[in-house]
Amino acid sequence: MNLSSDQQIFWQYRFVKLNGTIVTTWAMLIVMGVAARLITRKLVSQGPVSRWQGALEIIVTGMAAQLKEVGLAKPATYLPFIGTLFLFVAISALLTVVPGYSPPTGSLSTTAALALCVFAAVPFYGLRQQGLRAYLKTYTEPTFIMLPFNLISEVSRTLALAVRLFGNMMSGVMIVGILLTITPFLFPLVMTSLGLLTGMVQAYIFSVLAAVYIAAATRVTHPAAQPQQ
């Protein structure tokens, strides 16, 4: 049994490999892009809206409200990035019901790439919101002694994001695969359902953590008001 889709090699030339993780990842991206185009092609900005558009607006509004509760003052700015992360992880989990499918999030290379996206997004949004000087100053608060610890925190939480998502997604896939070989069909079906629930929870947690990190980087600190004489 393959531990991850990295072990499914479809094509190889010397050190260049086309494995299952790459194939499933690009297939998912294409499907998500086409689906997004089809879903949004009949949306209108004025006049009466369809029930489908109303449902989509409710979902988007709910996600924006969730980001605002996390601490992002302008959730519409960050919704495309964080929403895409959530959809990618969630769809990866939902497609595990397809026989023979190995989710790309069950590979450490994919979860590391997702974590690196968050790692790059944090300073990007932080610099855009606060400016270079104010953002770099946050690494030396409350004192410059905290600079190395804050830098270590940036790296360690990126590793934690990757390993947490990888471990939880891979464990679910392996448990179902083992049970399919030693038990009847009914029990693995229940475990698959639980795996889908776990995948959705992991997608939510990953997105919320990304929002929390971005909110911390974009928080604008104002100088304390001077007491009036």
Side-chain angles (χ1 to χ4, degrees):
M1 183 179 72
N2 292 329
L3 295 179
S4 74
S5 54
D6 287 339
Q7 298 177 335
Q8 300 174 353
I9 306 299
F10 294 101
W11 176 82
Q12 181 175 358
Y13 179 73
R14 295 182 180 179
F15 61 89
V16 180
K17 297 180 180 180
L18 182 63
N19 55 33
T21 301
I22 298 175
V23 172
T24 53
T25 298
W26 280 101
M28 278 187 54
L29 292 177
I30 293 173
V31 171
M32 290 174 62
V34 173
R37 179 62 179 174
L38 294 176
I39 290 172
T40 59
R41 63 176 179 171
K42 293 184 179 180
L43 300 184
V44 296
S45 58
Q46 295 179 350
V49 299
S50 63
R51 293 182 179 181
W52 175 251
Q53 181 171 342
L56 290 178
E57 290 180 356
I58 291 174
I59 295 174
V60 173
T61 302
M63 295 177 67
Q66 184 69 46
L67 294 180
K68 191 171 184 179
E69 291 180 2
V70 171
L72 295 173
K74 298 179 180 179
T77 304
Y78 317 99
L79 185 59
F81 173 71
I82 298 177
T84 302
L85 288 178
F86 173 81
L87 288 176
F88 183 85
V89 179
I91 294 175
S92 295
L94 291 175
L95 290 179
T96 54
V97 298
V98 179
Y101 170 82
S102 297
T105 48
S107 168
L108 185 59
S109 59
T110 302
T111 57
L114 294 174
L116 287 174
C117 289
V118 178
F119 180 76
V122 169
F124 172 77
Y125 288 115
L127 290 170
R128 192 168 71 169
Q129 178 69 23
Q130 301 192 63
L132 179 60
R133 183 175 181 181
Y135 177 75
L136 294 179
K137 187 178 179 181
T138 60
Y139 287 96
T140 60
E141 293 178 349
T143 173
F144 71 92
I145 299 177
M146 296 299 297
L147 175 61
F149 298 101
N150 287 329
L151 293 176
I152 293 174
S153 175
E154 291 283 338
V155 177
S156 62
R157 72 187 185 188
T158 302
L159 294 175
L161 273 177
V163 174
R164 180 190 293 110
L165 182 60
F166 165 72
N168 287 311
M169 297 299 292
M170 182 180 178
S171 61
V173 174
M174 289 196 63
I175 289 174
V176 173
I178 293 172
L179 291 176
L180 280 172
T181 61
I182 62 177
T183 62
F185 177 74
L186 182 60
F187 188 64
L189 182 62
V190 176
M191 293 303 299
T192 300
S193 301
L194 293 177
L196 294 178
L197 177 61
T198 302
M200 298 300 294
V201 172
Q202 291 305 315
Y204 176 78
I205 293 175
F206 189 89
S207 303
V208 169
L209 288 176
V212 169
Y213 297 155
I214 294 174
T218 57
R219 184 179 64 251
V220 179
T221 56
H222 301 283
Q226 298 294 330
Q228 295 182 357
Q229 301 295 334

